[in-house]
């Protein structure tokens, strides 16, 4: 059954890649689609369920099955779910991925940010301090990094970073940082990153972001030992 379902998934995927099915388009009725693809209706149903889980398809009860927008943010929602399911030890691996991707995203932002966007980043820093509660710190941290990624202009990179930076992960990390008195240092690092972006210094921005993420990664490794 698994191989038949995999075949059905591959067939639907090919229809999307070839342009036969467009974002937002309604799929043909189940009977018609299964016959045209030479698949059993059961295999097709299993394939649709699997593609719905990863947000490629949207099953609307009583209306039909549609291709989603296929926007990066939609497709990467499944990644956020997987991230939230990881255990603490796996968070180190996730931070390693962030350490690779976030500097590249920040370098793009350095080249593409308008002065207004840089001012907005600086304004974000004024709303938090060492006495800010964990939930507000998490909200700030998510918005700060997401804003930089958004300024970079690469939707897939921005979406992937947002998926890796789920709120559940951030709460766990920030709670530990708060308990260990590292909040102000982290916020100072945020301010230094904004300043380096304003100076249009991509090498400095890259070094600061690597150090910033690596610091959190190092703290997490120590806390898990």
């Amino acid at each position: 059954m698994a191989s038949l379902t995999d075949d059905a998934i591959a067939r639907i995927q090919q229809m999307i890649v070839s342009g036969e099915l467009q974002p937002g388009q309604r799929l043909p009725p189940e009977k018609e689609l299964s016959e045209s693809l030479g698949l059993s209706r059961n295999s097709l149903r299993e394939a649709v369920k699997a593609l719905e889980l990863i947000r490629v398809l949207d099953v609307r009860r009583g209306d039909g099955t549609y291709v989603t927008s296929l926007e990066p943010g939609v497709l990467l929602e499944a990644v956020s779910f997987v991230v939230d399911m990881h255990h603490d030890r796996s968070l180190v691996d996730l931070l390693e991925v962030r350490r690779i991707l976030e500097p590249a995203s920040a370098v793009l932002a350095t080249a593409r940010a308008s002065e207004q966007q840089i001012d907005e980043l600086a304004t974000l820093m004024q709303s938090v301090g060492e006495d800010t509660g964990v939930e507000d710190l998490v909200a700030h941290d998510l918005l700060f990094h997401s804003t930089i990624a958004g300024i970079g202009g690469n939707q897939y990179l921005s979406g992937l970073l947002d998926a890796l930076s789920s709120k559940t992960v951030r709460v766990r990390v920030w709670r530990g940082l708060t308990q260990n008195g590292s909040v102000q240092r982290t916020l100072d690092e945020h301010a230094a990153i904004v300043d380096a972006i304003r100076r249009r210094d991509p090498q400095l921005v890259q070094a600061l972001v690597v150090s910033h993420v690596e610091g959190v990664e190092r703290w997490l490794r120590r806390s898990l030992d």
Side-chain angles (χ1 to χ4, degrees):
M1 177 62 72
S3 61
L4 293 176
T5 301
D6 290 344
D7 185 42
I9 291 171
R11 298 284 192 88
I12 296 173
Q13 180 186 32
Q14 183 56 40
M15 292 177 71
I16 294 172
V17 171
S18 69
E20 187 176 350
L21 285 174
Q22 298 284 336
Q25 184 176 340
R26 188 178 186 271
L27 270 65
E30 182 184 271
K31 184 176 185 298
E32 178 185 332
L33 185 58
S34 63
E35 290 177 352
S36 67
L37 294 178
L39 299 167
S40 71
R41 296 177 71 171
N42 192 46
S43 295
L44 182 60
R45 287 192 198 104
E46 292 301 316
V48 168
K49 288 178 184 177
L51 291 170
E52 182 184 22
L53 283 174
I54 60 173
R55 301 302 308 278
V56 171
L57 297 179
D58 178 20
V59 179
R60 304 174 189 174
R61 307 303 173 193
D63 186 14
T65 299
Y66 292 77
V67 181
T68 66
S69 67
L70 301 180
E71 291 291 328
V74 173
L75 295 179
L76 289 168
E77 284 182 13
V79 178
S80 296
F81 176 78
V82 172
V83 168
D84 281 343
M85 296 295 290
H86 276 57
H87 298 294
D88 287 344
R89 181 63 61 179
S90 300
L91 295 182
V92 174
D93 293 339
L94 294 175
L95 284 170
E96 284 182 346
V97 177
R98 278 190 58 208
R99 178 159 47 85
I100 294 168
L101 297 180
E102 287 218 29
S105 177
V107 167
L108 288 176
T110 303
R112 298 172 178 175
S114 67
E115 288 300 318
Q116 180 180 348
Q117 287 173 320
I118 297 173
D119 287 342
E120 290 171 354
L121 268 176
T123 300
L124 287 179
M125 302 303 307
Q126 299 172 10
S127 63
V128 291
E130 196 163 8
D131 58 347
T132 303
V134 171
E135 290 294 333
D136 289 335
L137 285 169
V138 170
H140 160 76
D141 194 51
L142 286 167
L143 182 58
F144 178 80
H145 288 280
S146 178
T147 300
I148 291 176
I151 292 171
N154 185 310
Q155 291 187 38
Y156 285 93
L157 181 55
S158 176
L160 182 55
L161 286 170
D162 281 347
L164 291 171
S165 302
S166 73
K167 186 171 182 179
T168 298
V169 171
R170 284 293 214 265
V171 166
R172 288 146 77 184
V173 171
W174 272 102
R175 182 169 291 119
L177 287 172
T178 302
Q179 292 170 349
N180 286 274
S182 303
V183 174
Q184 190 58 54
R185 182 178 69 247
T186 302
L187 296 178
D188 288 344
E189 289 172 0
H190 282 189
I193 291 168
V194 174
D195 183 61
I197 292 174
R198 189 181 295 280
R199 290 161 57 184
R200 309 291 181 177
D201 188 335
Q203 291 183 322
L204 179 58
V205 167
Q206 184 177 40
L208 287 171
V209 175
V210 168
S211 177
H212 174 60
V213 180
E214 187 176 46
V216 178
E217 180 186 330
R218 190 166 53 249
W219 166 81
L220 185 58
R221 287 182 186 276
R222 286 198 305 265
S223 71
L224 294 175
D225 286 342

